[in-house]
Amino acid sequence: MQLTRGGDAGQGPVGVYAAVMPAAPRIAPAEVLARDVWRPFQQRSNWKGPLLVVHAWGVVGLAVAAGVWQPILIPLCVMVIGTRQLGLAILMHEAAHGALAPNLKINDFLGHWLCAVPVGASLKAYRPYHLAHHKFAQQPEDPDLVLSAPFPVTAASLRRKMIRDLTGQTFFKQRLLLLFRAFANRRDPRPAEGAVVTGRSVAPFLMINAAMLGGLTLAGVWWAWFVLWLLPMATWFPLVTRLRNIAEHACVADSATDPFRAARTTRASWWERAFIAPYWVNFHAEHHLFMHVPCWKLPHLHRALRATSAGQRMEVADGYVSVLKAAAARPS
């Protein structure tokens, strides 16, 4: 563990040494990519990030309309909407890195009000938490280590976790109980996804969702909010969030010491992108290497890195099924 002078760290008088948290290993782009190869990854777009937000809400709107039009489609619509709710959380994550729009005010407005708040999160609370995850990735101080450290588990344990997600038990524990704590001015010491929940941060979520319920009520389909927004949030959203967390960091050897192995990239088929991993979230090894590259450039970055000898060290899975097999590999 590194040591620093206590006075420099604000811990005491100069000459008194205090332990500081070790940061995750880093690598500079110039160490692996030529300047002309790296240059396009530094460029930001004024319209691609906002267009992704429009896309997410467009898919949600179409799925709601389909479920109202043909109720037999509701199970499929629940999966589609739950995945786009994860998509909104992913776009909030983009905003946390300032990658949703070059203008920081627009970036934060879109990331908070159109991405975070509707699914019960807060960009302001999430950003410092998530940046701490990047700084200390897979170190003991990583606030997300609790999500990957328990794996591998037994197949029965993973199955129980997934059943809790699909039956709403995870939602009740992580959302409703936290809501009650929030209005009691109590904070959960290990909030899911870094969302420090307080009465003040819950209020915008309730306001936005009340507006959605009001709009659907005026349209004569009040039930759609419960069946085609709340139900996906309580079932499919927790499940795919868990799958995302497992795939990103669980069971990756040398993840604490090798920057190329701090996270896993998962090759996702079209149906996995539609129902599990929207908006290139599966390219997580690349994101941890160079976290300010916008998500829509990660496939290109993946190809550039894999063309280098260092990039061959990256953990790349062939799909989410293979990741789940690795995560459930502990003998019973």
Side-chain angles (χ1 to χ4, degrees):
M1 180 174 288
Q2 295 175 328
L3 296 176
T4 187
R5 288 185 180 272
D8 296 337
Q11 299 293 325
V14 174
V16 177
Y17 286 83
V20 297
M21 297 184 289
R26 292 280 181 267
I27 188 167
E31 296 179 57
V32 63
L33 296 175
R35 183 176 300 179
D36 60 329
V37 174
W38 173 246
R39 188 177 298 112
F41 298 115
Q42 296 177 287
Q43 299 168 359
R44 298 296 175 93
S45 171
N46 287 313
W47 59 272
K48 288 185 178 179
L51 186 61
L52 291 179
V53 178
V54 172
H55 178 270
W57 282 107
V59 172
V60 169
L62 288 174
V64 170
V68 170
W69 173 56
Q70 292 289 339
I72 195 173
L73 297 175
I74 285 176
L76 178 63
C77 294
V78 165
M79 296 167 63
V80 170
I81 294 168
T83 304
R84 289 307 126 178
Q85 289 171 336
L86 173 61
L88 292 174
I90 292 165
L91 296 178
M92 173 194 69
H93 164 266
E94 283 293 296
H97 289 286
L100 206 54
N103 183 297
L104 188 58
K105 290 185 178 179
I106 295 175
N107 176 88
D108 286 6
F109 176 84
L110 293 174
H112 181 67
W113 288 105
L114 295 186
C115 298
V117 169
V119 295
S122 165
L123 178 61
K124 183 178 180 180
Y126 177 76
R127 177 176 278 143
Y129 170 98
H130 183 67
L131 294 182
H133 162 62
H134 273 273
K135 183 176 181 179
F136 303 113
Q138 296 300 287
Q139 309 298 316
E141 296 79 14
D142 180 358
D144 272 352
L145 190 61
V146 66
L147 300 175
S148 60
F151 294 95
V153 297
T154 65
S157 175
L158 181 59
R159 185 165 54 250
R160 287 193 298 269
K161 289 176 171 60
M162 296 173 68
I163 290 173
R164 287 197 296 269
D165 295 337
L166 285 174
T167 56
Q169 297 176 63
T170 302
F171 175 81
F172 179 81
K173 178 181 178 182
Q174 292 185 346
R175 299 300 188 94
L176 297 185
L177 291 183
L178 284 179
L179 187 148
F180 295 143
R181 291 191 182 102
F183 284 106
N185 290 320
R186 294 169 57 192
R187 291 189 176 187
D188 192 294
R190 293 188 305 176
E193 286 292 303
V196 179
V197 181
T198 66
R200 182 175 298 178
S201 65
V202 167
F205 168 72
L206 297 178
M207 178 183 69
I208 292 293
N209 278 267
M212 294 170 64
L213 175 59
L216 291 169
T217 300
L218 290 174
V221 288
W222 60 268
W223 57 268
W225 182 83
F226 294 94
V227 177
L228 292 166
W229 181 256
L230 185 60
L231 181 61
M233 187 181 295
T235 56
W236 196 255
F237 182 25
L239 175 65
V240 292
T241 298
R242 185 183 300 278
L243 297 182
R244 169 198 171 184
N245 289 330
I246 292 172
E248 288 178 349
H249 291 287
C251 307
V252 180
D254 302 321
S255 60
T257 57
D258 186 344
F260 283 90
R261 300 184 60 79
R264 174 190 286 106
T265 281
T266 304
R267 295 192 180 99
S269 63
W270 70 266
W271 69 267
E272 288 173 317
R273 294 193 299 272
F275 295 106
I276 299 175
Y279 305 128
W280 307 281
V281 71
N282 52 303
F283 292 99
H284 206 60
E286 296 78 7
H287 173 64
H288 264 267
L289 277 168
F290 307 120
M291 65 180 177
H292 296 297
V293 174
C295 63
W296 56 87
K297 294 188 176 185
L298 292 180
H300 184 195
L301 180 60
H302 173 77
R303 292 189 291 271
L305 288 171
R306 293 291 280 180
T308 69
S309 58
Q312 293 298 311
R313 301 204 306 270
M314 294 163 59
E315 178 82 1
V316 180
D318 287 330
Y320 283 84
V321 172
S322 66
V323 170
L324 289 179
K325 287 181 180 179
R330 178 176 293 179
S332 301

